[in-house]
Amino acid sequence: MLITIEGIDGAGKTTIALKLYEYLKKEKGEVYLFREPGSTEVGEKIREILLMYEVGDITELLLFESARAELTERLLLPLLKKGKIVILDRFCDSTTAYQGYGRGIDIEMIERINMFASRGIKPDLTILLDISPEVALERLRAKDRFEEIDFLRRVREGFLRIAEKNERIKVIKADEDIETVFKNVLGVVREHLC
Ligand code: Z5A
C-alpha cells in the first residue's frame, strides 16, 4: 500500500508522515517512510542541487522527475511488489501543483512525465494537508524560511483542483493543532487499511 502526504510548504507533512510511520510501525510491523526529492543516494544529491542552485523551470521539473525515477526503481517498485506499506512525503501531485499550477508548465505534459518517472504507480491513498498560505508562512517564518505568498496560493489551489479530480485524495484541514490533525489523518488511514 502506498500512502502519500501532500500539501504546501509548512502544512505539516513531515510531522504527520513521521507520526503515521511510528503509529503504523507499532500496528503493522514493517513500514517504510520516504521523501521526495530524496531517500536514495542520487535523490538526496538532487535535493542538494535544488537547494544550492537557482535553475530554470524545465530543469527544476526534470530534476524532481529524475529523483522520482530513482526512488521508484530502487525502492517503491520492489517494496510495493512485496506488499509492503510505504508512506511517501510528496509524490507526483506535488509536481502537478508546484511546477504545473505554480510555475505554469503545461499540466498535461507534467502528468505524462509523472507517469513515466513513477512507472505508472498510483498511491492507494493521498492525504492532502490543506492550510492557508498565511498560516503556513507563519510556521515557516519561525524556522527562518520565506516563501512567496502568491506562488503558494496558486499551488494550494492546484492541490485542491487535483483533489477534486481524484477519489484517492482526502483533504484534511491542517491548521488545527498537531494531535487533532493526526487524529483526523488516522481516521482516514484506518478506513483504508481495513
Ligand atoms: N517540490 C516541487 O516543487 N515539486 C516536486 O515535485 C516536489 C517537491 C516533490 C521541498 O519539499 C521543496 O520541493 C518544496 C516543494 C518542492 N518547495 N519549496 N519551496 P519539502 O517537502 O522537502 O519541503 P517543504 O514542504 O517546504 O517542507 P517543510 O517546510 O518541512 O513543510 P512540512 O513538511 O509541510 O511541515 P513540517 O516540517 O511538518 O512543519 C513545519 C513547521 O510547522 C514545524 O516547525 C512544525 O513543528 C510546525 N507544525 C507542523 N504541524 C503543525 C500544526 N498542526 N500546528 C502548529 N505547528 C505545526
Side-chain angles (χ1 to χ4, degrees):
M1 183 183 203
L2 176 62
I3 302 171
T4 57
I5 316 280
E6 297 280 8
I8 60 172
D9 314 22
K13 298 173 302 300
T14 308
T15 307
I16 292 297
L18 192 59
K19 283 178 84 66
L20 186 60
Y21 168 74
E22 279 160 3
Y23 176 90
L24 289 179
K25 215 167 124 187
K26 270 196 210 131
E27 286 257 305
K28 305 273 174 192
E30 206 176 339
V31 177
Y32 295 83
L33 171 62
F34 303 127
R35 66 172 180 179
E36 274 209 351
S39 293
T40 63
E41 208 180 328
V42 169
E44 291 297 332
K45 291 273 177 234
I46 291 175
R47 177 180 276 269
E48 280 173 30
I49 290 172
L50 283 160
L51 283 172
M52 273 168 65
Y53 301 97
E54 247 185 55
V55 295
D57 292 355
I58 308 283
T59 311
E60 183 189 56
L61 166 69
L62 295 176
L63 284 170
F64 282 121
E65 298 288 4
S66 299
R68 176 165 304 137
E70 191 66 7
L71 178 73
T72 300
E73 195 78 33
R74 294 196 183 274
L75 297 169
L76 293 186
L77 278 177
L79 290 171
L80 294 173
K81 267 188 197 152
K82 287 186 197 153
K84 305 295 179 197
I85 299 176
V86 178
I87 301 165
L88 187 47
D89 186 344
R90 294 194 182 281
F91 195 40
C92 297
D93 297 325
S94 277
T95 319
T96 310
Y98 279 82
Q99 280 62 53
Y101 289 96
R103 302 244 188 265
I105 299 176
D106 181 70
I107 307 269
E108 236 173 72
M109 192 178 62
I110 289 181
E111 283 174 348
R112 285 173 59 198
I113 308 176
N114 278 346
M115 279 282 281
F116 184 55
S118 65
R119 306 272 293 270
I121 293 176
K122 283 259 174 248
D124 297 281
L125 172 66
T126 297
I127 304 289
L128 172 55
L129 296 176
D130 181 51
I131 195 166
S132 75
E134 287 80 3
V135 177
L137 283 179
E138 252 173 58
R139 288 182 189 172
L140 295 176
R141 222 170 278 136
K143 290 169 77 183
D144 274 339
R145 272 188 50 195
F146 302 89
E147 305 286 348
E148 198 203 315
I149 193 149
D150 286 340
F151 178 69
L152 283 189
R153 284 195 183 118
R154 292 198 298 278
V155 175
R156 181 199 193 185
E157 281 312 307
F159 272 127
L160 290 172
R161 282 217 217 158
I162 301 167
E164 276 169 18
K165 291 190 234 159
N166 288 281
E167 255 309 283
R168 72 179 155 83
I169 304 182
K170 306 297 169 204
V171 182
I172 304 276
K173 259 168 67 68
D175 54 3
E176 316 216 45
D177 64 274
I178 293 175
E179 289 314 317
T180 306
V181 177
F182 183 57
K183 190 178 96 215
N184 294 337
V185 168
L186 216 46
V188 171
V189 171
R190 277 216 201 90
E191 269 174 36
H192 277 75
L193 282 174
C194 293

